[in-house]
Amino acid sequence: MKPATEPGIISRIMIISINAHFDFTLPQLTDVALQFEAASLPEQRLIRCNTRLSPSEYFARIPAEHNIGERIMLSADGFFSVDYSAEVEIDRITAPLDSLEALQPHELPGEVFSYLMDSRYCQADRFHSFVDDEFGATTGGARVLAIRDWIAEHFAYEPGSSTPETTAMDSFIERRGICRDYAHVLVTLARASTIPARFVSCFSPGVEPPDFHAVAEVFLADPTVAGGGAWHLVDATGMATPGDIVKIGVGRDAADVSFLTTFGESQFGEKTVAVSRT
């Protein structure tokens, strides 16, 4: 473990090994967007990576949201297979959230401001009264932790209980879901608390059952920079910690970072994901 940069702020190095496979069938030539590879970032270094794809009529790589990771754009038909393996070194500085203050909207960088707004799956405007009533005694990072703990206490993790169309409001009513739904609710309640929050697709070794994972990331004051702010990872499911999360991409909600988006009819096949510490 590295020495703390200041009290309560810690950086730990972790090596994560990833192996993933999925396949799908396209009845005719169809455009497809894929985002499944670990992003190359200052806090996560790609030691090795290997992507194997079926042949396609068109192939290109484009930057993903905020230049975190890449999307693969392709056109293909018939059976299509994706195999991916990587080894990633995580060296992420983490700080205790309860010590971090919120920034006022006028203090936010321009690229962060949009994460205060409603999005397709996160209808924050409908939760202002709820967060005031339930979490009114808290602010900043303490508010985020209170939201995380409330979700953990009131929600049941049930694979198969939601669909790709399930919104944060749906999950709030049902009080159940999977990582995608937990992340959507945390993002929504944070935004309703005037704390910028975004959806993060990722890998983590603690996920059960093993799969692609989703967490939230909140923007709070940075104690190391006067007047500055930083993004902080939060997992309401409790299965992942900031020190072992490998980011794939970020967005307003799951629509921005789906590992597979087809612009036409498709039939999904098999999927396996294995993630471990090495």
Side-chain angles (χ1 to χ4, degrees):
M1 186 179 75
K2 291 183 177 181
T5 55
E6 69 175 52
I9 299 177
I10 298 173
S11 174
R12 289 187 176 90
I13 295 178
M14 184 81 68
I15 307 296
I16 305 295
S17 177
I18 302 163
N19 287 278
H21 165 87
F22 59 93
D23 57 64
F24 51 94
T25 301
L26 304 165
Q28 59 188 7
L29 188 64
T30 304
D31 286 346
V32 177
L34 304 173
Q35 190 173 357
F36 59 87
E37 299 165 309
S40 178
L41 299 168
E43 75 269 20
Q44 58 182 54
R45 181 175 69 90
L46 303 183
I47 299 172
R48 65 168 181 85
C49 58
N50 183 32
T51 297
R52 300 188 304 278
L53 305 174
S54 296
S56 59
E57 295 290 324
Y58 172 83
F59 176 91
R61 290 181 175 273
I62 61 173
E65 298 289 325
H66 290 283
N67 289 312
I68 295 178
E70 291 183 325
R71 289 192 180 94
I72 295 174
M73 301 297 301
L74 55 87
S75 293
D77 62 356
F79 178 79
F80 196 93
S81 177
V82 177
D83 287 283
Y84 174 68
S85 64
E87 194 170 69
V88 184
E89 180 185 78
I90 306 297
D91 187 9
R92 181 172 291 124
I93 295 173
T94 60
L97 289 188
D98 58 359
S99 68
L100 304 180
E101 298 179 357
L103 295 170
Q104 296 303 310
H106 71 272
E107 299 175 304
L108 298 172
E111 67 273 15
V112 171
F113 189 81
S114 63
Y115 291 111
L116 285 175
M117 307 301 182
D118 280 12
S119 59
R120 175 178 175 181
Y121 294 109
C122 301
Q123 312 98 322
D125 282 351
R126 303 181 66 180
F127 286 91
H128 291 303
S129 296
F130 173 77
V131 297
D132 287 344
D133 291 344
E134 187 70 31
F135 310 113
T138 61
T139 60
R143 168 73 64 96
V144 173
L145 292 179
I147 291 170
R148 181 201 64 185
D149 294 345
W150 183 90
I151 296 170
E153 179 181 351
H154 291 86
F155 279 57
Y157 195 91
E158 294 184 8
S161 62
S162 60
T163 74
E165 301 305 316
T166 299
T167 68
M169 177 61 77
D170 298 328
S171 300
F172 182 83
I173 293 170
E174 294 289 333
R175 301 294 170 92
R176 59 180 181 171
I178 57 174
C179 61
R180 171 188 183 276
D181 309 304
Y182 278 58
H184 278 157
V185 174
L186 198 154
V187 165
T188 300
L189 297 183
R191 290 179 188 170
S193 303
T194 322
I195 297 172
R198 64 189 185 187
F199 186 96
V200 181
S201 61
C202 60
F203 296 105
S204 176
V207 176
E208 289 294 338
D211 205 338
F212 291 99
H213 195 44
V215 300
E217 201 168 33
V218 296
F219 195 83
L220 296 166
D222 183 349
T224 68
V225 180
W231 288 103
H232 300 270
L233 292 160
V234 187
D235 184 8
T237 72
M239 292 191 286
T241 63
D244 62 16
I245 289 172
V246 178
K247 291 183 183 179
I248 299 171
V250 304
R252 295 163 299 174
D253 53 37
D256 287 342
V257 284
S258 172
F259 72 89
L260 169 64
T261 303
T262 61
F263 298 91
E265 185 179 347
S266 65
Q267 179 64 49
F268 194 74
E270 296 182 350
K271 179 178 61 173
T272 59
V273 177
V275 184
S276 61
R277 301 177 182 89
T278 60

